[in-house]
Amino acid sequence: MTASLPARAVAEEIAERIATLDPARLPPAVRRKCEDLLIDVIGLCATARQTDYVKSALAGCDDDGPCTAIGHARRLGAAGAAFVNGTAAHGEDFDDTFEGGPVHAGAVIVPAVLAACERHRPDGASALLGIAVGVELLCRLSLVVPKAVHRAGFHPTAVFGAMAAAAGVGAALGLERRQIVDALGGAGSMASGIIEYLAEGAWTKRLHPGWAAQSGLRAALLGRAGFNGPRTVFEGVHGLFHGFAHTTAGDYAALTGNFGTRWVLETLAFKPYPCGTMTHPYIDCARRLAGRGVRAEDVVEMVCEVADGTVHRLWEPLDAKRRPPNGYAAKFSTPYCIAAGFVRGGVGLDAFTDAAVRDPQVVALAAKVRYEIDPANPYPGNYTGHIRAVLRDGRTVEERQPHLRGGAHEPLSRGDLEAKFALNAQHGGWAKEKVAAALALTKKLYDGPIDLSALRG
C-alpha cells in the first residue's frame, strides 16, 4: 500500500502554493470580489438574525468568548461564531454561488476566517488572504468531479467547505506548508452534509456552511498544533472524493493548476433572488411572460427544458414540488418559484413564508408546471432557463434566459450589492445608522486591525 502512494500529494501541492501567497500582491479583481463577499455575507447574517433557526443555533452554543456573532450582543468562541454566522449567512439561500459547482463559498469562508482572525490574528490583510484562498479552493474543489457529490446524496458546500475553510484559516493564520497539509488532512474527517432536508424542508441545509466553517477552523488550529493528518486526503483510496463522490478519478488539475495565479473566484455569482440558484433563470422567464400580458388563468401548462442534474433536487417528486410544505422547502421547488415569480411579479424574502406558499393563485399555477430533460443543457457550467406556456386559446408563448443574472455574464454591480445589503439589514431590524456603520466597516476591514464591534447587537 505504501509503495503506491504519490511522492507529492495534491494537498502538498496546494499547501506549497498557499504558503507563497502575499495579500499585498493579490490582483485587484480578487480583492474586489472579497470586498463584495464581505458586503453580501454581513447583510445576510443581519437579515437572518431574528429567525428561529438562528436563535436555535445561537442557543445551541455553550462556548462564550471574544468573537462576534453578527447581529447579536452575545459573543462566542471562534468556532461558535463561525458556526452561527455561517448558518445565518446561508439560511435564506440568498448567498453567492459558483456556477461550475454549484457551491456557496462566502457563507463558509467569510465566517471561518473572520472568527479566526478576530480571535487569533486581528489583521485585515490576513483576513483578505484567508478569504481569497478559502473561496478559491472551495470553487476549485467543486470542479474535480462535477455533480458527483450531489448525485451521491451529499451537499458539496458542506463537504468541500470544511476543506476550504481549513485552507483559508490556515492562510490567514500564517500556517507553514506541513501544517496546512495536516489541517487539510484533519478537515477531511470533519466533512459532512447529507441532503435529506429536501424531503420536508428541514433546517439542516442551513447549518451546513456553519458546520463546515467551524470544522475548518478547528482543523487549522489542530494542524498548527502539529496534529498529523493524511496528506493524500483528496486523491487517496479512502480519501475525500472516494467517500463523497464514490470515485478517486477526477480532474485534479482543475484543483491545483495555476492555483494562486489564476483565480476562478472572479466569476462568483451573487443572487438576485433568495432561493436555489438554478431556479433563477426560470423565475426571470416567468416574470417576462407575465410582463407580456399572459394571465395565470389562461395558462394550460408551462413546460420547462431542464438539466438532468437538477431534477432530483428541484423537480422531483413533482407533485410534492408543486405544493411545498413550507416556505423553506419552496426555495428548492422550481414549480413554486416559477409560479411565485409570475403571480407576484418578483421573488423576495416574503415569497418564502409558510403563508405565502399557500397562496391559492400561486398553488394553482404551480400545478400546471412540468419539465422535460434537455440533454444539451450546459449545467453546471452555465445556468439557463426556459418556459413554454400553452394557453387556452391555442397559442404557445416561450421565454428563454441564456445565463444567470448576477453571474459572470451579467454581474451585479457594487451598487446593486450595497442596495441588497441595506435591504437585508433593514429586514433584520437594523436601523439606518447601524446599516451605514456596518457598510462603512466593509470598506476598510482589509486595511487595518479587525474590529467587528459595529456588527454586534
Side-chain angles (χ1 to χ4, degrees):
M1 181 68 84
T2 302
S4 66
L5 294 178
R8 189 170 185 239
V10 171
E12 290 174 316
E13 187 169 346
I14 292 169
E16 181 176 329
R17 296 181 184 225
I18 290 172
T20 64
L21 292 174
D22 179 352
R25 296 186 177 181
L26 292 175
V30 171
R31 178 183 171 115
R32 184 170 181 83
K33 187 66 72 169
C34 292
E35 291 170 350
D36 290 344
L37 282 165
L38 272 184
I39 293 169
D40 206 46
V41 168
I42 292 171
L44 293 168
C45 289
T47 209
R49 59 188 284 268
Q50 296 176 328
T51 59
D52 289 346
Y53 61 88
V54 170
K55 290 178 181 177
S56 294
L58 189 62
C61 293
D62 62 357
D63 63 334
D64 289 35
C67 296
T68 300
I70 296 171
H72 304 277
R74 180 185 171 191
R75 288 191 277 172
L76 300 169
F83 171 70
V84 171
N85 291 333
T87 300
H90 187 58
E92 295 304 310
D93 232 81
F94 209 178
D95 50 325
D96 62 86
T97 298
F98 179 61
E99 292 178 78
V103 287
H104 307 281
V108 178
I109 305 304
V110 173
V113 170
L114 287 186
C117 287
E118 190 177 21
R119 170 67 178 84
H120 298 282
R121 193 175 187 177
D123 171 61
S126 297
L128 171 61
L129 178 62
I131 290 171
V133 165
V135 171
E136 182 70 10
L137 184 61
L138 183 43
C139 294
R140 284 172 174 257
L141 280 167
S142 72
L143 300 176
V144 176
V145 191
K147 300 184 283 187
V149 172
H150 256 143
R151 198 162 49 237
F154 300 104
H155 186 191
T157 297
V159 172
F160 298 142
M163 312 300 295
V169 171
L173 299 186
L175 269 61
E176 297 175 354
R177 296 177 190 184
R178 181 65 228 184
Q179 293 173 319
I180 294 173
V181 172
D182 285 336
L184 290 168
S189 286
M190 301 178 186
S192 61
I194 61 173
I195 60 175
E196 184 59 16
Y197 64 85
L198 289 167
E200 296 177 315
W203 289 357
T204 47
K205 181 176 185 284
R206 289 170 156 147
L207 68 76
H208 287 170
W211 189 258
Q214 66 92 28
S215 296
L217 189 153
R218 291 186 184 279
L221 295 178
L222 287 169
R224 186 174 69 168
F227 198 100
N228 182 254
R231 64 188 184 91
T232 50
V233 64
F234 292 116
E235 74 275 35
V237 294
H238 302 296
L240 188 83
F241 287 99
H242 168 78
F244 292 103
H246 300 169
T247 181
T248 59
D251 184 7
Y252 292 101
L255 178 56
T256 60
N258 298 319
F259 190 99
T261 57
R262 181 179 65 88
W263 297 84
V264 302
L265 67 80
E266 292 180 22
T267 65
L268 208 63
F270 292 95
K271 289 185 178 182
Y273 304 124
C275 52
T277 317
M278 286 76 75
T279 67
H280 287 209
Y282 295 90
I283 295 170
D284 287 339
C285 290
R287 294 178 65 191
R288 288 202 296 270
L289 282 173
R292 291 169 61 178
V294 176
R295 299 186 306 170
E297 58 268 29
D298 292 335
V299 174
V300 175
E301 66 173 352
M302 288 183 169
V303 184
C304 304
E305 293 176 0
V306 306
D308 179 61
T310 69
V311 169
H312 72 290
R313 300 192 311 282
L314 300 174
W315 285 96
E316 289 291 350
L318 184 57
D319 286 343
K321 291 295 186 182
R322 286 168 167 169
R323 298 183 66 93
N326 55 50
Y328 189 57
K331 291 176 179 285
F332 314 106
S333 161
T334 310
Y336 173 82
C337 290
I338 286 172
F342 187 99
V343 171
R344 299 168 70 98
V347 175
L349 290 167
D350 60 350
F352 298 102
T353 66
D354 291 352
V357 301
R358 293 190 292 269
D359 181 326
Q361 194 174 7
V362 174
V363 171
L365 184 58
K368 301 175 184 178
V369 180
R370 65 178 179 89
Y371 69 91
E372 295 175 348
I373 293 174
D374 173 15
N377 189 288
Y379 171 85
N382 185 36
Y383 299 171
T384 63
H386 163 266
I387 300 177
R388 184 175 72 252
V390 180
L391 307 183
R392 294 193 185 281
D393 63 7
R395 289 184 299 138
T396 297
V397 291
E398 201 164 2
E399 284 287 347
R400 291 187 181 273
Q401 174 65 21
H403 55 255
L404 174 69
R405 286 195 307 113
H409 297 285
E410 192 178 343
L412 299 186
S413 68
R414 177 62 60 82
D416 292 332
L417 288 171
E418 290 182 354
K420 178 183 173 182
F421 174 95
L423 287 172
N424 278 331
Q426 289 168 21
H427 180 269
W430 277 4
K432 289 184 179 181
E433 295 77 12
K434 191 169 185 65
V435 173
L439 189 57
L441 173 64
T442 67
K443 300 178 186 295
K444 63 181 182 181
L445 187 138
Y446 295 138
D447 295 320
I450 290 179
D451 178 2
L452 303 182
S453 58
L455 305 181
R456 298 174 194 150

